[in-house]
C-alpha cells in the first residue's frame, strides 16, 4: 500500500469534506475540497483537482478553485476515457458567478491539460468509448444521454438516493452505490429500466462503484470492498478493507485507489 498526500500547500484545516478519485492508464485524478486557506488574514474555501502519477505519486498537474472565483469542482466524481487521454470534470458555479445555479462539465486533454470542450450539463459518468453519458439528477431518476450529440435516450427510475452511479462500458447496465429504500448497491438494465440485482454480502456505506473490463463491478465501502456480478448480485472476490469514502480499480485489475479525507489517496496492490 502506498499513500499519496493530498494535503500539500497552504492549507490550514486538514478535514476535507470530500475526496473523489478515479484511476486509468497509470494516472490518478483526485478531486478534493473544500480546504480552508488563510488569505489576507481571512479564511477562504478552496477545492483542488490533481492529476497524479501512479508510479511516483507525484503531482503532474494541479488546478485550484477558490470561493471567490466563478467556477469550482462539484462533489461529482471525475472520470477518464478508456485510454486515460481525456478527463471529465464535473463543475458548478459559485455565488460569485452571474448564474450561481449553473452546473456542467468539462473535458480535459490529460497530456496538455488543455480544455477540449465544456457543456452546460451535469454528468455523473461516461461509457469508456465516450458515446453515452449517465446523468445524475442528485437523487432523482438517472438519465442516459448520447454523446457528443447530447440527446436524451431514456430515463431510469432507480432507487439511487444520493449515492454514486456508474454505467457499464457497453452502456447496458447502470450501477448505483446505495438507495433510500435499500442501502445495498443495485444494478439496473438500461434497455428495460428493470432492477437486475442488489449486491449480496454487502455491508456499510458504498463510497465508490466502478465497472471492470468484462462487466463486473468493483465496490469500495466503509465495511467491505470487493468485486460483484451485477447480473446475479453475487460477491465474487473480497478485497482488503480500506475504510475509505471513494475508490476506483484500474482497468487491468492490479491496483485499487481509495480516497479518504484527512488521509489522501492510497494505492493498494490487489
Amino acid at each position: 500500500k502506498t499513500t499519496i498526500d493530498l494535503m500539500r500547500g497552504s492549507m490550514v484545516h486538514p478535514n476535507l469534506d470530500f475526496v473523489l478519485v478515479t484511476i486509468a492508464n497509470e494516472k490518478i485524478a483526485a478531486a478534493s475540497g473544500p480546504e480552508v486557506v488563510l488569505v489576507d488574514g481571512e479564511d477562504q474555501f478552496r477545492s483542488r483537482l490533481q492529476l497524479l502519477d501512479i508510479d511516483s505519486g507525484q503531482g503532474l498537474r494541479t488546478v485550484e478553485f477558490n470561493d471567490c472565483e466563478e467556477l469550482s469542482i462539484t462533489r461529482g466524481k471525475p472520470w477518464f476515457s478508456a485510454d486515460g487521454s481525456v478527463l471529465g470534470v464535473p463543475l458548478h458555479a459559485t455565488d460569485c458567478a452571474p448564474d450561481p445555479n449553473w452546473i456542467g462539465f468539462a473535458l480535459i486533454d490529460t497530456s496538455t491539460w488543455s480544455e477540449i470542450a465544456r457543456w452546460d450539463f451535469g454528468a455523473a459518468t461516461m461509457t469508456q468509448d465516450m458515446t453515452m453519458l449517465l446523468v445524475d439528477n442528485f437523487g432523482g431518476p438517472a438519465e442516459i444521454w448520447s454523446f457528443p450529440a447530447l440527446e436524451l435516450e431514456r430515463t431510469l427510475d432507480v432507487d439511487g438516493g444520493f449515492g454514486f452511479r456508474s454505467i457499464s462500458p457497453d452502456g447496458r447496465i447502470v450501477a448505483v452505490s446505495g438507495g433510500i429504500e435499500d442501502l445495498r448497491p443495485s444494478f439496473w438494465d438500461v434497455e428495460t429500466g428493470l432492477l437486475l440485482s442488489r449486491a449480496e454480502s454487502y455491508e456499510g456505506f458504498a463510497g465508490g462503484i466502478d465497472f471492470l473490463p468484462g462487466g463486473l463491478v468493483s465496490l469500495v465501502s466503509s465495511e467491505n470492498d470487493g468485486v460483484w456480478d451485477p447480473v446475479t448480485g453475487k460477491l465474487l472476490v473480497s478485497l482488503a478493507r480500506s475504510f475509505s469514502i471513494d475508490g476506483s480499480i484500474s482497468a487491468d485489475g492490479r491496483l485499487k485507489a481509495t480516497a479518504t479525507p484527512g488521509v489522501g489517496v492510497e494505492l493498494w496492490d490487489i
Side-chain angles (χ1 to χ4, degrees):
K1 181 180 72 171
T2 301
T3 300
I4 300 174
D5 185 15
L6 291 182
M7 308 308 167
R8 303 186 185 98
S10 58
M11 196 172 67
V12 177
H13 306 296
N15 297 319
L16 299 180
D17 184 55
F18 70 95
V19 180
L20 302 173
V21 64
T22 188
I23 182 173
N25 198 29
E26 305 305 316
K27 299 185 184 74
I28 297 173
S32 60
E35 56 187 6
V36 183
V37 295
L38 195 63
V39 178
D40 297 330
E42 297 184 357
D43 284 348
Q44 287 193 5
F45 293 98
R46 176 183 296 166
S47 297
R48 183 178 292 174
L49 174 67
Q50 293 172 274
L51 190 66
L52 306 161
D53 179 75
I54 287 180
D55 290 332
S56 66
Q58 296 300 308
L60 301 174
R61 302 278 183 171
T62 299
V63 176
E64 294 180 340
F65 300 85
N66 298 311
D67 60 0
C68 57
E69 298 175 348
E70 293 188 359
L71 283 179
S72 187
I73 306 172
T74 70
R75 284 167 175 77
K77 186 171 180 173
W79 72 91
F80 280 113
S81 59
D83 60 2
S85 64
V86 176
L87 177 65
V89 183
L91 299 169
H92 73 91
T94 68
D95 292 339
C96 300
D99 180 9
N101 296 317
W102 180 88
I103 59 172
F105 73 97
L107 294 181
I108 295 175
D109 185 319
T110 57
S111 62
T112 63
W113 205 242
S114 57
E115 185 173 307
I116 299 171
R118 183 182 297 180
W119 282 267
D120 300 337
F121 205 85
T125 189
M126 180 183 284
T127 54
Q128 290 185 343
D129 62 3
M130 300 181 69
T131 61
M132 296 175 68
L133 282 170
L134 170 64
V135 177
D136 195 339
N137 286 308
F138 302 101
E143 295 179 347
I144 307 296
W145 290 70
S146 62
F147 184 84
L150 291 183
E151 296 177 347
L152 179 63
E153 298 286 339
R154 58 185 60 86
T155 299
L156 301 179
D157 188 17
V158 300
D159 174 29
F162 290 90
F164 292 110
R165 302 177 184 187
S166 185
I167 188 168
S168 62
D170 60 9
R172 295 181 179 180
I173 299 176
V174 165
V176 183
S177 64
I180 297 175
E181 298 177 0
D182 191 322
L183 294 178
R184 292 176 299 166
S186 56
F187 310 109
W188 303 77
D189 186 294
V190 170
E191 187 66 32
T192 65
L194 298 178
L195 175 68
L196 292 173
S197 68
R198 293 188 184 273
E200 298 178 359
S201 306
Y202 188 86
E203 299 176 358
F205 173 77
I209 187 164
D210 288 294
F211 279 90
L212 302 176
L216 302 180
V217 174
S218 68
L219 291 165
V220 174
S221 79
S222 59
E223 297 294 333
N224 64 328
D225 302 349
V227 176
W228 274 260
D229 183 333
V231 177
T232 64
K234 293 188 179 299
L235 174 64
L236 302 178
V237 179
S238 292
L239 303 176
R241 184 178 176 187
S242 56
F243 301 95
S244 59
I245 65 165
D246 186 36
S248 179
I249 292 180
S250 60
D252 59 13
R254 296 187 302 108
L255 296 173
K256 177 175 68 172
T258 59
T260 306
V263 175
V265 173
E266 293 180 311
L267 277 178
W268 304 72
D269 187 336
I270 296 177

